[in-house]
Amino acid sequence: MTVSSNLQSLSSHNAGGSAGSAQVDTTGGVSLSVDPVTTTSVPASDTTATTWTPTFATSGAQTVAETGTATALTVPGTSTVAINLAGTTSGINRFSAGNYQATVTLRCE
């Protein structure tokens, strides 16, 4: 993830950022989803509220446009999943310098 020029977005979609990836092999008939982000680590100097939004998209056996909603994978085969995360602040809030970490859980059930 990288920060936006106005310091209000920390995202894999920002310039220089990149998505996480996973390969999913299924027989079809499963649901793919991302859980809400519950585990984060931010610099002590960052006391602002951040909204974390995970999304995913797939290509390969089945193509799914980027979404944050559980989606059925009905086609058997291998799909590559791109997992993105965006953290946003609002108003006068800005991200502080330092290391940020968040855990995104991808589910295939």
Side-chain angles (χ1 to χ4, degrees):
M1 295 187 299
T2 57
V3 69
S4 63
S5 59
N6 68 359
L7 304 178
Q8 287 191 305
S9 168
L10 186 62
S11 175
S12 52
H13 284 298
N14 289 340
S18 61
S21 66
Q23 183 174 305
V24 177
D25 299 310
T26 76
T27 57
V30 299
S31 179
L32 192 64
S33 62
V34 285
D35 288 351
V37 172
T38 57
T39 304
T40 60
S41 174
V42 303
S45 60
D46 189 339
T47 59
T48 63
T50 301
T51 301
W52 296 100
T53 307
T55 58
F56 68 92
T58 70
S59 60
Q62 186 165 336
T63 300
V64 174
E66 188 168 7
T67 183
T69 304
T71 302
L73 296 183
T74 57
V75 178
T78 301
S79 294
T80 300
V81 185
I83 303 106
N84 286 286
L85 181 62
T88 56
T89 63
S90 61
I92 62 168
N93 296 320
R94 303 286 184 266
F95 283 100
S96 299
N99 293 321
Y100 289 78
Q101 293 181 339
T103 301
V104 176
T105 301
L106 176 68
R107 294 189 183 274
C108 183
E109 304 176 307

